[in-house]
Amino acid sequence: MKKLLKKLLLIIAGLLFLTSPALVLYVLNNGNPIMNKWITHEVKAHLDTTGYSKSDFQKHSYNIPKMDINHDFYHTHYYVIFKDEPNIIYYYGKKKRFGDVVQFCEKEDAATYEFVTENTEHNEEACISMLDNR
């Protein structure tokens, strides 16, 4: 019985050792799936409280930025493209340590992918720069 348990533990340890590089590569390329789900939930709840519904969005999802962002926020953030403003991509982030969800001041032009900082239709009053505190 002890030999069988020992073999089983060795097989499990071997499988974990062999799959760990694949798991690390997945997280590096796609972000932590638990964090992605949590940020998605938090931002959707924030958008619901500000009066938006699913029918207002053309596209929305979590996003893992390729650049370094504000260290006061989790690296995973969320983007929204509204149906009535399909040329602007809005970004939302969640402050670390049980902070609030905040809209980032920088938005992107969907055609050129350049940052837009002037006022747009769906600006929130309190926005924070994703490029500060890097």
Side-chain angles (χ1 to χ4, degrees), residues 13-28:
L15 286 174
L16 285 174
F17 180 74
L18 291 174
T19 59
S20 61
L23 292 172
V24 168
L25 288 174
Y26 177 84
V27 169
L28 287 175

Side-chain angles (χ1 to χ4, degrees), residues 42-98:
E42 293 290 316
V43 173
K44 283 183 177 180
H46 169 77
L47 292 170
D48 286 345
T49 60
T50 54
Y52 294 114
S53 66
K54 284 184 179 182
S55 63
D56 295 326
F57 309 135
Q58 178 177 327
K59 191 173 180 182
H60 58 95
S61 180
Y62 70 87
N63 187 33
I64 310 298
K66 302 294 183 209
M67 63 182 177
D68 196 22
I69 65 164
N70 191 327
H71 291 292
D72 293 335
F73 290 84
Y74 291 108
H75 194 67
T76 300
H77 56 262
Y78 202 80
Y79 76 90
V80 175
I81 300 174
F82 292 94
K83 284 184 179 177
D84 60 347
E85 200 174 19
N87 56 333
I88 302 292
I89 303 169
Y90 292 86
Y91 291 101
Y92 295 84
K94 179 155 177 64
K95 284 188 173 184
K96 290 180 179 176
R97 297 170 205 77
F98 306 105

